[in-house]
Coordinates of all heavy atoms in Angstrom, one line a residue:
M1 N -85.6 -79.9 49.8 CA -86.7 -80.0 50.9 C -86.3 -78.9 52.0 O -85.2 -78.8 52.4 CB -86.5 -81.4 51.5 CG -87.6 -81.6 52.6 SD -87.6 -83.4 53.0 CE -88.2 -83.2 54.6
M2 N -87.2 -78.2 52.3 CA -87.0 -77.2 53.3 C -87.2 -77.8 54.7 O -87.8 -78.9 55.0 CB -88.2 -76.1 53.2 CG -87.9 -75.2 51.9 SD -89.0 -73.8 51.9 CE -88.4 -72.8 53.3
N3 N -86.5 -77.1 55.7 CA -86.6 -77.5 57.1 C -88.0 -77.2 57.5 O -88.3 -76.0 57.4 CB -85.5 -76.8 57.8 CG -85.4 -77.2 59.3 OD1 -86.4 -77.6 59.9 ND2 -84.2 -77.2 59.8
P4 N -88.7 -78.1 58.2 CA -90.2 -77.8 58.6 C -90.2 -76.9 59.7 O -91.2 -76.2 60.0 CB -90.7 -79.1 59.1 CG -89.6 -80.1 59.2 CD -88.4 -79.4 58.4
S5 N -89.0 -76.5 60.4 CA -89.1 -75.7 61.5 C -88.8 -74.2 61.1 O -88.9 -73.3 61.9 CB -88.1 -76.1 62.6 OG -86.8 -75.9 62.0
I6 N -88.6 -74.0 59.9 CA -88.3 -72.5 59.3 C -89.7 -71.9 58.7 O -90.3 -72.6 58.0 CB -87.1 -72.6 58.3 CG1 -85.8 -73.0 58.9 CG2 -87.1 -71.1 57.7 CD1 -84.8 -73.1 57.9
T7 N -89.9 -70.8 59.1 CA -91.0 -70.1 58.7 C -90.5 -68.9 57.7 O -89.7 -68.2 58.2 CB -92.0 -69.4 59.7 OG1 -92.4 -70.6 60.6 CG2 -93.2 -68.7 59.2
I8 N -91.1 -68.8 56.5 CA -90.7 -67.7 55.6 C -91.9 -67.0 55.2 O -92.9 -67.6 54.9 CB -90.0 -68.3 54.4 CG1 -88.7 -69.2 54.7 CG2 -89.8 -67.3 53.3 CD1 -88.2 -69.9 53.5
T9 N -91.9 -65.7 55.4 CA -92.9 -64.8 55.1 C -92.5 -64.1 53.7 O -91.5 -63.6 53.5 CB -93.1 -63.7 56.0 OG1 -93.4 -64.4 57.2 CG2 -94.3 -62.9 55.6
V10 N -93.5 -64.3 52.7 CA -93.2 -63.8 51.4 C -94.3 -62.6 51.1 O -95.5 -62.8 51.4 CB -93.5 -64.9 50.3 CG1 -93.2 -64.3 48.9 CG2 -92.5 -65.9 50.5
N11 N -93.9 -61.5 50.7 CA -94.7 -60.4 50.4 C -95.4 -60.7 48.9 O -94.8 -61.0 47.9 CB -93.9 -59.2 50.1 CG -94.7 -58.0 49.8 OD1 -96.0 -58.1 49.5 ND2 -94.1 -56.8 49.6
H12 N -96.8 -60.9 49.0 CA -97.5 -61.3 47.9 C -97.7 -60.1 46.9 O -98.1 -60.4 45.8 CB -98.8 -61.9 48.3 CG -98.6 -63.1 49.1 ND1 -98.3 -64.3 48.4 CD2 -98.7 -63.4 50.3 CE1 -98.2 -65.4 49.3 NE2 -98.5 -64.8 50.5
D13 N -97.3 -59.0 47.3 CA -97.5 -57.8 46.3 C -96.3 -57.6 45.6 O -95.4 -56.8 45.8 CB -97.9 -56.6 47.1 CG -98.0 -55.3 46.2 OD1 -98.2 -55.6 44.9 OD2 -98.1 -54.3 46.6
L14 N -96.1 -58.5 44.5 CA -94.9 -58.4 43.6 C -95.0 -57.5 42.5 O -94.2 -57.5 41.6 CB -94.6 -59.9 43.0 CG -94.4 -61.0 44.2 CD1 -94.2 -62.3 43.5 CD2 -93.3 -60.6 45.1
S15 N -96.0 -56.6 42.4 CA -96.2 -55.7 41.4 C -95.5 -54.4 41.7 O -95.7 -53.4 40.8 CB -97.8 -55.4 41.2 OG -98.2 -54.9 42.4
R16 N -94.9 -54.2 42.7 CA -94.1 -53.0 43.0 C -93.0 -52.8 42.1 O -92.3 -53.7 41.7 CB -93.7 -52.8 44.6 CG -95.0 -53.0 45.4 CD -94.6 -52.8 46.8 NE -95.6 -52.9 47.6 CZ -95.8 -52.4 48.8 NH1 -94.8 -51.7 49.3 NH2 -96.8 -52.6 49.5
K17 N -92.7 -51.4 41.8 CA -91.5 -51.1 41.0 C -90.4 -50.5 42.0 O -90.6 -49.9 43.0 CB -91.8 -50.1 40.0 CG -92.7 -50.6 38.8 CD -93.1 -49.4 38.0 CE -93.9 -50.0 36.7 NZ -94.1 -48.9 35.7
A18 N -89.2 -50.7 41.6 CA -88.0 -50.1 42.3 C -87.9 -48.7 41.8 O -88.0 -48.2 40.6 CB -86.6 -50.9 41.9
I19 N -88.0 -47.8 42.8 CA -88.0 -46.3 42.5 C -86.8 -45.8 43.2 O -86.4 -46.0 44.3 CB -89.2 -45.7 43.3 CG1 -90.5 -46.3 42.7 CG2 -89.2 -44.1 43.0 CD1 -90.8 -46.1 41.3
N20 N -86.1 -45.0 42.3 CA -84.9 -44.3 42.8 C -85.2 -43.3 43.9 O -86.1 -42.4 43.7 CB -84.0 -43.7 41.6 CG -82.8 -43.0 41.9 OD1 -82.7 -42.3 43.0 ND2 -81.9 -43.2 41.1
P21 N -84.6 -43.4 45.1 CA -84.9 -42.4 46.1 C -84.6 -40.9 45.8 O -85.3 -40.1 46.4 CB -84.3 -43.0 47.3 CG -83.2 -43.8 46.9 CD -83.7 -44.3 45.4
I22 N -83.6 -40.8 44.9 CA -83.2 -39.4 44.7 C -84.1 -38.8 43.5 O -84.6 -37.7 43.6 CB -81.8 -39.4 44.4 CG1 -80.9 -39.9 45.5 CG2 -81.3 -38.0 43.8 CD1 -79.5 -40.2 45.1
T23 N -84.1 -39.5 42.4 CA -85.0 -39.0 41.2 C -86.4 -39.4 41.3 O -87.2 -38.7 40.6 CB -84.3 -39.5 40.0 OG1 -84.6 -40.9 39.9 CG2 -82.8 -39.3 39.8
K24 N -86.8 -40.2 42.2 CA -88.2 -40.6 42.3 C -88.7 -41.2 41.0 O -89.9 -41.0 40.6 CB -89.1 -39.4 42.8 CG -88.7 -38.8 43.9 CD -88.9 -39.7 45.2 CE -88.6 -38.8 46.4 NZ -87.6 -39.4 47.4
T25 N -87.8 -41.9 40.2 CA -88.3 -42.3 38.9 C -87.8 -43.8 38.7 O -87.1 -44.3 39.7 CB -87.5 -41.6 37.7 OG1 -86.1 -41.6 37.9 CG2 -88.0 -40.1 37.6
N26 N -88.2 -44.6 37.8 CA -87.8 -45.8 37.5 C -87.3 -45.8 36.1 O -87.8 -45.4 35.2 CB -89.1 -46.8 37.7 CG -88.7 -48.3 37.5 OD1 -88.5 -48.7 36.4 ND2 -88.8 -48.9 38.6
W27 N -86.3 -46.7 35.8 CA -85.7 -46.9 34.5 C -86.5 -47.8 33.6 O -86.3 -47.7 32.4 CB -84.3 -47.4 34.6 CG -84.2 -48.8 35.2 CD1 -84.0 -49.1 36.6 CD2 -84.3 -50.0 34.6 NE1 -84.1 -50.4 36.6 CE2 -84.2 -51.1 35.5 CE3 -84.6 -50.5 33.3 CZ2 -84.4 -52.3 35.2 CZ3 -84.8 -51.8 32.9 CH2 -84.6 -52.8 33.9
E28 N -87.5 -48.5 34.1 CA -88.2 -49.5 33.3 C -88.9 -48.7 32.2 O -89.7 -47.7 32.5 CB -89.2 -50.3 34.1 CG -89.9 -51.4 33.4 CD -90.8 -52.3 34.3 OE1 -90.6 -52.1 35.5 OE2 -91.6 -53.1 33.8
G29 N -88.9 -49.3 31.0 CA -89.5 -48.6 29.9 C -88.7 -47.5 29.2 O -88.9 -47.0 28.1
L30 N -87.7 -47.0 30.0 CA -86.8 -45.9 29.5 C -85.4 -46.3 29.3 O -84.8 -45.7 28.3 CB -86.8 -44.9 30.6 CG -88.0 -44.2 31.1 CD1 -87.8 -43.4 32.3 CD2 -88.7 -43.5 30.0
G31 N -85.1 -47.4 29.9 CA -83.6 -47.8 29.7 C -82.6 -47.0 30.5 O -83.1 -46.2 31.3
V32 N -81.4 -47.2 30.2 CA -80.4 -46.5 30.9 C -79.5 -45.9 29.9 O -79.2 -46.3 28.8 CB -79.5 -47.3 31.8 CG1 -80.3 -47.9 33.0 CG2 -78.8 -48.6 31.1
V33 N -78.8 -44.7 30.2 CA -78.0 -44.0 29.2 C -76.6 -44.8 29.3 O -76.0 -44.9 30.4 CB -77.7 -42.6 29.6 CG1 -76.8 -41.8 28.8 CG2 -79.1 -41.9 29.7
P34 N -76.0 -45.2 28.2 CA -74.9 -46.0 28.1 C -73.6 -44.9 28.5 O -73.8 -43.8 28.1 CB -74.8 -46.5 26.8 CG -75.6 -45.7 26.0 CD -76.7 -45.1 26.8
D35 N -72.7 -45.4 29.1 CA -71.4 -44.7 29.3 C -70.7 -44.3 28.1 O -70.1 -43.3 28.0 CB -70.4 -45.5 30.2 CG -70.9 -45.8 31.6 OD1 -71.8 -45.0 32.0 OD2 -70.5 -46.8 32.2
I36 N -70.8 -45.2 27.0 CA -70.1 -45.0 25.7 C -71.2 -45.1 24.6 O -71.6 -46.2 24.3 CB -69.0 -46.0 25.5 CG1 -68.0 -45.8 26.6 CG2 -68.4 -45.7 24.2 CD1 -67.0 -46.9 26.8
P37 N -71.7 -44.0 24.2 CA -72.7 -44.1 23.1 C -72.1 -44.8 21.9 O -71.1 -44.4 21.5 CB -73.0 -42.5 22.8 CG -72.5 -41.7 24.0 CD -71.3 -42.7 24.6
T38 N -72.9 -45.7 21.5 CA -72.6 -46.6 20.3 C -73.9 -47.0 19.6 O -74.8 -47.3 20.2 CB -71.8 -47.8 20.9 OG1 -70.7 -47.4 21.6 CG2 -71.2 -48.6 19.5
S39 N -73.8 -47.1 18.3 CA -74.8 -47.5 17.5 C -75.1 -49.1 17.7 O -74.1 -49.7 18.0 CB -74.8 -47.3 16.0 OG -73.7 -48.0 15.6
L40 N -76.3 -49.5 17.5 CA -76.6 -51.0 17.8 C -75.5 -51.8 16.8 O -74.9 -52.8 17.3 CB -78.0 -51.3 17.5 CG -78.3 -52.7 17.4 CD1 -78.1 -53.2 18.9 CD2 -79.8 -53.0 17.1
E41 N -75.4 -51.4 15.6 CA -74.5 -52.1 14.6 C -73.0 -52.1 15.0 O -72.3 -53.1 14.7 CB -74.7 -51.4 13.2 CG -76.0 -51.6 12.6 CD -77.0 -50.5 13.2 OE1 -76.5 -49.6 13.9 OE2 -78.1 -50.8 13.1
D42 N -72.6 -51.1 15.9 CA -71.1 -51.1 16.2 C -70.8 -51.6 17.6 O -69.7 -51.4 18.0 CB -70.6 -49.5 16.1 CG -70.7 -49.1 14.6 OD1 -70.7 -50.0 13.7 OD2 -70.9 -47.9 14.4
T43 N -72.0 -52.0 18.3 CA -71.8 -52.4 19.7 C -70.7 -53.4 19.9 O -69.8 -53.4 20.8 CB -73.1 -52.9 20.3 OG1 -74.0 -51.8 20.0 CG2 -73.0 -53.1 21.7
L44 N -70.8 -54.6 19.1 CA -69.9 -55.7 19.3 C -68.4 -55.2 19.1 O -67.4 -55.5 19.8 CB -70.2 -56.9 18.5 CG -69.4 -58.1 18.7 CD1 -69.4 -58.6 20.1 CD2 -69.8 -59.2 17.7
E45 N -68.3 -54.6 17.9 CA -66.9 -54.1 17.6 C -66.3 -53.2 18.7 O -65.1 -53.3 19.0 CB -67.0 -53.5 16.3 CG -65.6 -53.0 15.7 CD -65.6 -52.5 14.3 OE1 -66.5 -52.8 13.5 OE2 -64.8 -51.5 14.0
K46 N -67.2 -52.3 19.2 CA -66.7 -51.2 20.1 C -66.3 -52.0 21.3 O -65.4 -51.7 22.0 CB -67.8 -50.2 20.3 CG -67.4 -49.1 21.4 CD -66.3 -48.3 20.7 CE -66.0 -47.1 21.5 NZ -64.9 -46.2 20.9
S47 N -67.2 -53.0 21.8 CA -66.9 -53.6 23.0 C -65.5 -54.3 23.0 O -64.7 -54.5 23.8 CB -67.9 -54.7 23.4 OG -68.2 -55.7 22.5
H48 N -65.2 -55.0 21.7 CA -63.9 -55.7 21.6 C -62.9 -54.7 21.6 O -61.8 -55.1 22.3 CB -64.0 -56.5 20.2 CG -64.8 -57.8 20.3 ND1 -65.0 -58.4 19.2 CD2 -65.4 -58.3 21.2 CE1 -65.7 -59.5 19.5 NE2 -66.0 -59.4 20.7
E49 N -63.0 -53.5 21.1 CA -62.0 -52.5 21.0 C -61.6 -52.1 22.4 O -60.5 -52.0 22.8 CB -62.5 -51.3 20.3 CG -61.5 -50.0 20.2 CD -62.1 -48.9 19.5 OE1 -62.9 -49.0 18.8 OE2 -61.7 -47.8 20.0
L50 N -62.7 -51.9 23.2 CA -62.5 -51.4 24.6 C -61.8 -52.4 25.4 O -61.0 -52.2 26.2 CB -63.8 -51.0 25.2 CG -64.5 -49.8 24.7 CD1 -65.9 -49.7 25.2 CD2 -63.7 -48.6 25.0
A51 N -62.2 -53.7 25.0 CA -61.5 -54.8 25.8 C -60.0 -54.9 25.5 O -59.2 -55.1 26.4 CB -62.2 -56.2 25.5
R52 N -59.7 -54.8 24.2 CA -58.2 -54.7 23.8 C -57.6 -53.6 24.4 O -56.4 -53.8 24.9 CB -58.2 -54.6 22.3 CG -58.6 -55.9 21.4 CD -58.2 -55.8 20.1 NE -58.9 -54.8 19.3 CZ -60.2 -54.8 18.8 NH1 -60.7 -56.1 18.8 NH2 -60.6 -53.9 18.1
V53 N -58.0 -52.4 24.4 CA -57.5 -51.2 25.0 C -57.2 -51.6 26.7 O -56.2 -51.2 27.1 CB -58.2 -49.9 24.9 CG1 -57.7 -48.9 25.7 CG2 -58.3 -49.6 23.4
A54 N -58.2 -52.0 27.3 CA -58.0 -52.4 28.7 C -57.0 -53.4 28.9 O -56.2 -53.3 29.9 CB -59.5 -52.8 29.4
A55 N -57.0 -54.5 28.2 CA -56.0 -55.5 28.3 C -54.6 -55.0 28.1 O -53.7 -55.4 28.9 CB -56.3 -56.6 27.4
T56 N -54.4 -54.1 27.1 CA -53.1 -53.5 26.8 C -52.7 -52.7 28.0 O -51.6 -52.7 28.4 CB -53.1 -52.7 25.6 OG1 -53.5 -53.7 24.4 CG2 -51.8 -52.2 25.2
K57 N -53.7 -51.8 28.5 CA -53.3 -50.9 29.5 C -52.9 -51.6 30.8 O -52.1 -51.1 31.5 CB -54.6 -50.1 29.8 CG -54.5 -49.1 30.9 CD -55.8 -48.3 31.2 CE -55.7 -47.5 32.3 NZ -57.0 -46.7 32.7
H58 N -53.5 -52.7 31.0 CA -53.1 -53.4 32.3 C -52.2 -54.6 32.1 O -52.0 -55.4 33.1 CB -54.6 -54.0 32.9 CG -55.5 -53.0 33.3 ND1 -55.2 -52.1 34.4 CD2 -56.6 -52.5 32.8 CE1 -56.2 -51.3 34.5 NE2 -57.0 -51.5 33.6
G59 N -51.6 -54.6 30.9 CA -50.5 -55.6 30.7 C -51.0 -57.1 30.6 O -50.3 -57.9 31.1
I60 N -52.2 -57.2 30.2 CA -52.8 -58.6 30.1 C -52.5 -59.1 28.7 O -52.7 -58.5 27.7 CB -54.2 -58.5 30.5 CG1 -54.5 -57.9 31.8 CG2 -54.9 -60.0 30.2 CD1 -55.9 -57.7 32.1
D61 N -51.9 -60.4 28.7 CA -51.7 -61.0 27.4 C -53.0 -61.5 26.9 O -53.7 -62.5 27.6 CB -50.7 -62.2 27.7 CG -50.5 -63.0 26.4 OD1 -50.7 -62.5 25.3 OD2 -50.0 -64.2 26.5
R62 N -53.5 -60.9 25.9 CA -54.9 -61.3 25.3 C -54.9 -62.7 24.9 O -56.0 -63.4 25.2 CB -55.2 -60.5 24.2 CG -55.5 -59.0 24.4 CD -55.9 -58.3 23.3 NE -55.2 -58.6 22.1 CZ -55.0 -57.8 21.1 NH1 -55.2 -56.5 21.4 NH2 -54.3 -58.3 20.0
K63 N -54.0 -63.4 24.4 CA -54.0 -64.9 24.1 C -54.1 -65.6 25.2 O -54.9 -66.6 25.2 CB -52.7 -65.3 23.2 CG -52.7 -66.6 22.6 CD -51.6 -66.8 21.8 CE -51.7 -68.4 21.3 NZ -50.5 -68.7 20.6
Q64 N -53.4 -65.4 26.3 CA -53.4 -66.2 27.4 C -54.8 -66.0 28.1 O -55.3 -67.0 28.5 CB -52.3 -65.8 28.3 CG -52.3 -66.7 29.7 CD -52.0 -68.1 29.4 OE1 -51.1 -68.5 28.6 NE2 -52.8 -68.9 30.0
L65 N -55.2 -64.7 28.2 CA -56.6 -64.5 28.7 C -57.6 -65.2 27.9 O -58.5 -66.0 28.6 CB -56.9 -63.0 28.6 CG -58.2 -62.6 29.2 CD1 -58.3 -63.0 30.8 CD2 -58.4 -61.1 29.0
H66 N -57.6 -65.3 26.6 CA -58.6 -66.1 25.9 C -58.6 -67.6 26.1 O -59.5 -68.2 26.4 CB -58.3 -65.8 24.4 CG -59.3 -66.5 23.5 ND1 -59.1 -67.9 23.0 CD2 -60.4 -66.1 23.0 CE1 -60.0 -68.1 22.2 NE2 -61.0 -67.2 22.2
E67 N -57.3 -68.1 26.3 CA -57.2 -69.5 26.6 C -57.7 -69.8 28.0 O -58.4 -70.8 28.2 CB -55.7 -69.9 26.5 CG -55.1 -70.0 25.0 CD -53.6 -70.2 25.0 OE1 -53.0 -70.4 26.1 OE2 -53.1 -70.1 23.8
D68 N -57.4 -68.8 29.0 CA -57.9 -69.1 30.4 C -59.4 -69.1 30.5 O -60.0 -70.0 31.1 CB -57.3 -68.1 31.3 CG -55.8 -68.1 31.5 OD1 -55.2 -69.2 31.1 OD2 -55.2 -67.2 32.0
L69 N -60.1 -68.1 29.6 CA -61.4 -68.1 29.7 C -62.1 -69.3 29.0 O -63.1 -69.7 29.4 CB -61.9 -66.7 29.1 CG -61.6 -65.5 29.9 CD1 -62.0 -64.3 29.1 CD2 -62.3 -65.4 31.2
S70 N -61.4 -69.7 28.0 CA -62.0 -71.0 27.2 C -62.0 -72.0 28.1 O -62.9 -72.8 28.1 CB -61.1 -71.1 25.9 OG -61.2 -70.1 25.1
V71 N -60.9 -72.3 28.9 CA -60.7 -73.5 29.7 C -61.9 -73.3 30.8 O -62.4 -74.3 31.2 CB -59.3 -73.6 30.3 CG1 -59.3 -74.4 31.6 CG2 -58.3 -73.8 29.4
K72 N -62.0 -72.1 31.4 CA -63.0 -71.9 32.5 C -64.4 -72.2 31.9 O -65.3 -72.8 32.5 CB -63.0 -70.6 33.0 CG -61.7 -70.4 33.9 CD -61.6 -69.0 34.5 CE -60.3 -68.9 35.2 NZ -60.1 -67.5 35.9
L73 N -64.7 -71.8 30.8 CA -66.0 -71.9 30.0 C -66.3 -73.4 29.8 O -67.5 -73.9 30.1 CB -66.1 -71.1 28.8 CG -67.4 -71.1 28.1 CD1 -68.5 -70.6 29.0 CD2 -67.3 -70.3 26.8
V74 N -65.3 -74.2 29.3 CA -65.5 -75.5 29.1 C -65.7 -76.2 30.5 O -66.6 -77.1 30.6 CB -64.2 -76.2 28.4 CG1 -64.3 -77.6 28.4 CG2 -64.2 -75.6 27.0
A75 N -65.0 -75.8 31.5 CA -65.2 -76.4 32.9 C -66.7 -76.2 33.4 O -67.2 -77.1 34.1 CB -64.1 -76.0 33.8
I76 N -67.2 -75.1 33.0 CA -68.6 -74.8 33.5 C -69.6 -75.5 32.7 O -70.6 -76.0 33.1 CB -68.8 -73.2 33.4 CG1 -68.0 -72.6 34.5 CG2 -70.3 -72.9 33.5 CD1 -68.0 -71.0 34.3
L77 N -69.4 -75.6 31.3 CA -70.4 -76.0 30.4 C -70.5 -77.6 30.4 O -71.6 -78.2 30.2 CB -70.3 -75.5 29.0 CG -70.6 -74.0 28.9 CD1 -70.3 -73.6 27.5 CD2 -71.9 -73.6 29.3
V78 N -69.3 -78.2 30.3 CA -69.2 -79.6 30.1 C -70.1 -80.5 31.2 O -70.9 -81.4 30.8 CB -67.9 -80.2 30.0 CG1 -67.7 -81.7 30.1 CG2 -67.2 -79.7 28.8
P79 N -70.0 -80.1 32.4 CA -70.9 -80.9 33.4 C -72.4 -80.6 33.2 O -73.2 -81.5 33.6 CB -70.4 -80.2 34.8 CG -69.2 -79.7 34.6 CD -69.1 -79.3 33.2
L80 N -72.8 -79.5 32.5 CA -74.2 -79.3 32.2 C -74.8 -80.1 31.0 O -76.0 -80.3 31.1 CB -74.4 -77.8 31.9 CG -74.0 -76.8 33.0 CD1 -74.2 -75.5 32.6 CD2 -74.8 -77.1 34.3
I81 N -73.9 -80.6 30.2 CA -74.3 -81.4 29.0 C -75.0 -82.6 29.4 O -76.1 -82.8 28.8 CB -73.1 -81.7 28.1 CG1 -72.6 -80.4 27.5 CG2 -73.5 -82.7 27.0 CD1 -71.3 -80.4 26.8
P82 N -74.7 -83.5 30.3 CA -75.5 -84.7 30.7 C -76.8 -84.4 31.1 O -77.8 -85.0 30.8 CB -74.6 -85.4 31.6 CG -73.2 -85.0 31.4 CD -73.3 -83.6 30.9
K83 N -76.9 -83.3 31.9 CA -78.1 -82.8 32.6 C -79.1 -82.3 31.5 O -80.2 -82.7 31.4 CB -78.0 -81.8 33.6 CG -77.1 -82.2 34.9 CD -76.9 -81.1 35.7 CE -76.0 -81.6 37.0 NZ -75.7 -80.4 37.7
A84 N -78.5 -81.6 30.7 CA -79.5 -81.1 29.5 C -79.9 -82.2 28.7 O -81.0 -82.2 28.2 CB -78.7 -80.0 28.7
A85 N -79.1 -83.2 28.4 CA -79.4 -84.3 27.5 C -80.6 -85.1 28.1 O -81.4 -85.7 27.4 CB -78.3 -85.1 27.1
K86 N -80.7 -85.2 29.4 CA -81.7 -86.1 30.1 C -83.1 -85.3 30.2 O -84.1 -85.9 30.3 CB -81.3 -86.3 31.4 CG -80.1 -87.2 31.5 CD -79.6 -87.5 33.0 CE -78.4 -88.4 33.1 NZ -78.0 -88.4 34.6
R87 N -83.1 -84.0 29.9 CA -84.4 -83.2 29.9 C -85.1 -83.6 28.7 O -84.6 -83.7 27.6 CB -84.1 -81.8 29.9 CG -83.5 -81.3 31.2 CD -83.4 -79.8 31.2 NE -82.5 -79.4 32.4 CZ -81.8 -78.4 32.3 NH1 -81.8 -77.6 31.4 NH2 -81.1 -78.1 33.4
P88 N -86.5 -83.8 28.8 CA -87.3 -84.0 27.7 C -87.4 -82.8 26.7 O -87.3 -81.7 27.2 CB -88.6 -84.4 28.2 CG -88.7 -83.7 29.6 CD -87.2 -83.7 30.0
F89 N -87.5 -83.0 25.5 CA -87.7 -81.9 24.5 C -89.0 -81.2 24.8 O -90.0 -82.0 24.6 CB -87.4 -82.4 23.2 CG -87.5 -81.3 22.1 CD1 -86.5 -80.3 21.9 CD2 -88.6 -81.3 21.3 CE1 -86.8 -79.3 21.1 CE2 -88.7 -80.2 20.4 CZ -87.8 -79.3 20.2
M90 N -89.0 -79.9 24.9 CA -90.2 -79.2 25.1 C -90.5 -78.3 23.8 O -89.6 -77.6 23.4 CB -90.3 -78.4 26.3 CG -90.0 -79.1 27.7 SD -91.2 -80.3 28.0 CE -92.5 -79.1 28.5
R91 N -91.8 -78.6 23.3 CA -92.1 -77.6 22.1 C -92.8 -76.4 22.8 O -93.6 -76.5 23.6 CB -92.8 -78.3 21.2 CG -92.1 -79.4 20.5 CD -93.0 -80.0 19.5 NE -92.2 -81.2 18.9 CZ -91.9 -81.2 17.6 NH1 -91.8 -80.2 16.8 NH2 -91.1 -82.2 17.2
P92 N -92.6 -75.2 22.1 CA -93.3 -74.1 22.5 C -94.8 -74.1 22.3 O -95.3 -74.8 21.6 CB -92.7 -72.8 21.8 CG -91.9 -73.5 20.7 CD -91.7 -75.0 21.0

């Protein structure tokens, strides 16, 4: 519930595009140039390779990092399960 004493003005013209002030262009429909060119098929493998290299470079124990991230992910997802179970099933 919003506070009735607050006034919010919304710009109704939501069709505007973000334009780069330097190039005067927009990336929409063009995409962005990746820092590391990789084929679609090799993307996942390449990202894992880069993650391993970065972990080694910074002295990060990959097994411990994996365990830490797993614990954090479970902590985020478990509270969402009861909420999701209460939602009615929607068909497209």
Side-chain angles (χ1 to χ4, degrees):
M1 183 170 153
M2 292 189 62
N3 185 329
S5 65
I6 295 175
T7 302
I8 299 173
T9 303
V10 177
N11 180 356
H12 294 285
D13 182 11
L14 301 177
S15 63
R16 296 183 186 209
K17 293 182 178 182
I19 303 295
N20 183 314
I22 297 169
T23 64
K24 308 291 188 226
T25 60
N26 181 291
W27 61 267
E28 188 174 348
L30 302 173
V32 293
V33 178
D35 293 334
I36 301 166
T38 307
S39 69
L40 179 61
E41 295 80 18
D42 296 334
T43 302
L44 182 60
E45 185 178 326
K46 184 66 173 179
S47 64
H48 286 172
E49 175 190 334
L50 293 169
R52 285 190 298 271
V53 169
T56 302
K57 177 181 176 183
H58 296 287
I60 298 171
D61 178 18
R62 292 188 319 220
K63 184 177 179 184
Q64 185 61 48
L65 178 62
H66 182 269
E67 290 174 8
D68 292 347
L69 291 176
S70 296
V71 168
K72 289 178 182 178
L73 185 60
V74 168
I76 291 168
L77 294 178
V78 167
L80 299 177
I81 293 171
K83 292 177 186 175
K86 292 178 185 176
R87 292 185 191 147
F89 178 73
M90 303 293 287
R91 292 182 186 253

